[in-house]
Structure formats: C-alpha cells, structure tokens
Amino acid sequence: MTNDDTTAMRRSPLLIQLGGLYGIWLREVKRAIRDRGQLVGGISRPILWVLILGIGLNPYFRGEVYGEVTFVVPFTYLQFIFPAVVVLNILYTSVQSAVSVIWDREFGFLREVLVSPMSRGMVLLGKVLGGATVAMVHGCLVLLLARFADVPLTLSDIVKALGLMAMLAFALTSLGVVIANRIRSFEGFGVFSNAVILPLYFTSSSIFPLDPALTRAQARITYPEWLVTLVEINPLTYAVDALRGVLIDYNQFDPRLGIAVMAVAGLVLFAIALIDFRRA
C-alpha cells in the first residue's frame, strides 16, 4: 500500500463528515426555498413593520408636540427600528426553521441519518447552519429597504452587519433546535416558539429606547423597574444594540458586549442542543 493510499484512507472519514454536513445544509436550504409561505413572510413582515410602525409612530417617537421636540434619540423612528426589523426577520426564521427537526423525527428521516457514519454533532451542525443560512437571507431582505428607511450603508457597514447577523442566526437557530428537541408536535412547537419569540423581541429595546442620557438609577425611576430589568437581562437586547451601532451608529451599551453575548449564547445553546440531540 502506497503512502497516497494511506493518506486517502485517513482523509476519508473527514470527507464523509464534510460531505454529510454539506448534504444536510443543502437539504435545509432547499426546503426553505420551496416553502413559499416562508418567503412571503420574510418579505411582508419587514415591509409592514417599516411602513406601518416606522412611519406611523415617528412623530410620537421624537416627541413632536405643538412644535416642541423632546429628546429621545437623534434619529427618526424609521431609522431606529430598522436594525430591530433585521433582527426580527432573523429571529422568526431561525426559530421556525427548527421545525424541520420535528418533521424529520416524525417521518423517520432523522432516524436514518442518525444511524449513518456521520457523527450526531455534524448532523446537528448541518441543520443549524442550514437554518442560519436561510435566516441570513431573510435578514438581507430587510437590508434592501435601507435606502427607503434613510439608512445609508457603506460596504464596510454591510460586511460588519453580515458578521453580526451570522452570529445571531446561529445562536437563534440553536435555540429553535433546543425548543424542537423538547416539543414533540408541530402545533406545540408553533405555540411555544411564539411564546418565546414575542417576549424576547419586545423586551430587547427593539421598539423603544432606554434613554442613554439617563443613569441606571434614573432609568428605573423613569420606566417601570421590572421593565428595565427585563431589557437588561435579555441577551437579544445586546444583539439589537450591536447591529444598531453598525447600521445607524447608535449604541445604548458597549458594542463589544453585543458581540460577546452573541458568541457565548451561540456556543451555550448549540452545546445544549447537542446534548439533547445525542439523547434522541
């Protein structure tokens, strides 16, 4: 046996794992492409949020009452909410893409994959990367509205935003898999995932700001204390804030905190999903 044959044999297990990873990733992407309802939601959701909320609430956001303008943030509401709509599209798509875990378990495909030579970690990684890729595409659909929202984007801004979006999509898809591993029915997954998505989003300072001119103590006097606490402990708060810093150059927190929170959340949620997946 030649050295080339030995090298090929050593590489074959890795090639098998990578080939399987690509196959599962591609299956998840193709499934999403063929789902027209998911595409319609990915397009209609940001348009509704930007057009109705962004334009309709803009005068109230800036506090324009009888010619007087009270300071909230130095942006229009359309600009302020734009990064949050990007996060919203990623959030919905990432979590909902994990329903494929229930689908595959229900119809036996998951059982066939798990008895293949692929490790369970690679199977899970393929599914998470597939869901995250689809979520990234849906997030990019919102970026196409940047000019309409009067959000000027440079190439550098877009590259930085895509990096943050990728981290967020990976973490949220892992969260969706964690939910899917614990919920055994399609109906239960839909109800429970919405019960997670909506509180996460609305308590992430996505649609209203905590005034950065206030100290932490002042914020707790201005706003209900429980609401400030929920915003501060919500990991999605820091993801929205980091993306807002890149897209409109506005941060309520240290921008490095958002990157750290998303990285830790992605690793922790993927680890939890992997533990559950190995028990399946």
Side-chain angles (χ1 to χ4, degrees), residues 127-145:
K127 297 189 75 65
V128 171
L129 289 178
T133 301
V134 176
M136 281 281 293
V137 172
H138 282 222
C140 290
L141 291 176
V142 185
L143 292 182
L144 296 177
L145 299 174

Side-chain angles (χ1 to χ4, degrees), residues 33-98:
I33 292 174
R34 293 168 182 167
D35 187 352
R36 293 183 179 179
Q38 192 175 122
L39 180 61
V40 170
I43 296 174
S44 63
R45 191 182 305 118
I47 291 177
L48 289 174
W49 275 76
V50 170
L51 287 179
I52 296 179
L53 274 178
I55 295 177
L57 295 180
N58 189 60
Y60 303 98
F61 179 77
R62 293 182 64 81
E64 297 173 4
V65 181
Y66 301 114
E68 295 183 4
V69 178
T70 58
F71 173 82
V72 181
V73 295
F75 297 95
T76 66
Y77 191 55
L78 194 56
Q79 292 169 326
F80 178 80
I81 201 176
F82 182 77
V85 178
V86 176
V87 172
L88 177 67
N89 241 25
I90 292 175
L91 175 60
Y92 262 100
T93 308
S94 296
V95 175
Q96 293 298 330
S97 67

Side-chain angles (χ1 to χ4, degrees), residues 4-5 28 95 98 127 139-140 152 197 212 220 224 241 271:
D4 291 339
D5 292 336
E28 297 295 314
V95 175
K127 297 189 75 65
C140 290
I197 289 173
R220 289 180 175 273
D241 187 67

Side-chain angles (χ1 to χ4, degrees), residues 6 11 23 26 42 82 85 102 107 122 130 133 140 230 271 279:
T6 304
R11 288 179 179 176
L26 186 61
F82 182 77
V85 178
I102 299 177
F107 293 96
M122 294 296 279
T133 301
C140 290
L230 286 177
R279 293 173 180 172

Side-chain angles (χ1 to χ4, degrees), residues 35-220:
D35 187 352
R36 293 183 179 179
Q38 192 175 122
L39 180 61
V40 170
I43 296 174
S44 63
R45 191 182 305 118
I47 291 177
L48 289 174
W49 275 76
V50 170
L51 287 179
I52 296 179
L53 274 178
I55 295 177
L57 295 180
N58 189 60
Y60 303 98
F61 179 77
R62 293 182 64 81
E64 297 173 4
V65 181
Y66 301 114
E68 295 183 4
V69 178
T70 58
F71 173 82
V72 181
V73 295
F75 297 95
T76 66
Y77 191 55
L78 194 56
Q79 292 169 326
F80 178 80
I81 201 176
F82 182 77
V85 178
V86 176
V87 172
L88 177 67
N89 241 25
I90 292 175
L91 175 60
Y92 262 100
T93 308
S94 296
V95 175
Q96 293 298 330
S97 67
V99 75
S100 65
V101 174
I102 299 177
W103 181 275
D104 291 344
R105 184 169 58 221
E106 187 76 15
F107 293 96
F109 177 80
L110 187 60
R111 188 183 307 111
E112 295 178 5
V113 172
L114 293 180
V115 298
S116 70
M118 284 190 67
S119 67
R120 297 199 173 194
M122 294 296 279
V123 173
L124 176 61
L125 183 60
K127 297 189 75 65
V128 171
L129 289 178
T133 301
V134 176
M136 281 281 293
V137 172
H138 282 222
C140 290
L141 291 176
V142 185
L143 292 182
L144 296 177
L145 299 174
R147 184 178 295 274
F148 176 80
D150 197 23
V151 176
L153 295 179
T154 65
L155 180 60
S156 175
D157 293 335
I158 294 174
V159 171
K160 291 177 183 178
L162 290 177
L164 293 174
M165 290 161 60
M167 294 176 65
L168 179 62
F170 184 88
L172 291 174
T173 306
S174 298
L175 172 63
V177 174
V178 170
I179 297 173
N181 283 331
R182 289 165 165 74
I183 305 297
R184 296 291 173 175
S185 67
F186 296 106
E187 298 80 4
F189 179 85
V191 172
F192 190 80
S193 61
N194 279 322
V196 171
I197 289 173
L198 295 179
L200 265 179
Y201 185 70
F202 285 114
T203 60
S204 64
S205 192
S206 55
I207 58 175
F208 62 88
L210 294 180
D211 195 330
L214 302 178
T215 65
R216 190 169 185 272
Q218 289 173 328
R220 289 180 175 273

